Amino acid sequence: AFAGLHTLAGRPFDLVVIDPPSFAKSEDEVAGALRAYTTLTDLALPLVASGGDFVMASCSSRVSPDAFFEAVLRGRALQVIERTGHALDHPVGFPEGRYLKCLFARVP
């Protein structure tokens, strides 16, 4: 995905969806996962046409929703449409159970 995003440079898309596999299966992988989300966002946003939509997801159980959204949004002028997690029919009883996270945003 990292290399593929480089090959798409210069082509504007109305919608870009980034849904990588889990980057942090253990606590010692969290910092690397957050860097990977930041890098993917940096590579993907230039591909989104002005007024287009950007979707970024995470299924890393060790990365908290707050840390994920901060890594993706930090310093970026995005219009957040919605932040989502698990559906109501997927109850979560422990912090690592909140592994599904998704940001829907518009690029101005």
Side-chain angles (χ1 to χ4, degrees), residues 52-55 78-84 103-107:
D53 294 323
F54 173 66
V55 179
L78 296 172
Q79 298 169 346
V80 174
I81 297 168
E82 188 169 3
R83 298 175 191 206
T84 66
L103 173 74
F104 296 84
R106 182 146 301 129
V107 175

Side-chain angles (χ1 to χ4, degrees), residues 15 21 28 52 57 63 92:
L15 173 66
D28 61 333
V63 175
V92 178

Side-chain angles (χ1 to χ4, degrees), residues 15-70:
L15 173 66
V16 173
V17 178
I18 306 294
D19 187 11
S22 178
F23 286 142
K25 294 182 174 117
S26 65
E27 194 62 35
D28 61 333
E29 296 175 317
V30 170
L34 293 171
R35 283 191 303 275
Y37 295 129
T38 298
T39 299
L40 284 172
T41 303
D42 288 341
L43 293 170
L45 285 178
L47 301 175
V48 184
S50 181
D53 294 323
F54 173 66
V55 179
M56 179 71 160
S58 168
C59 63
S60 295
S61 64
R62 303 295 177 184
V63 175
S64 73
D66 288 342
F68 170 72
F69 294 124
E70 170 64 21

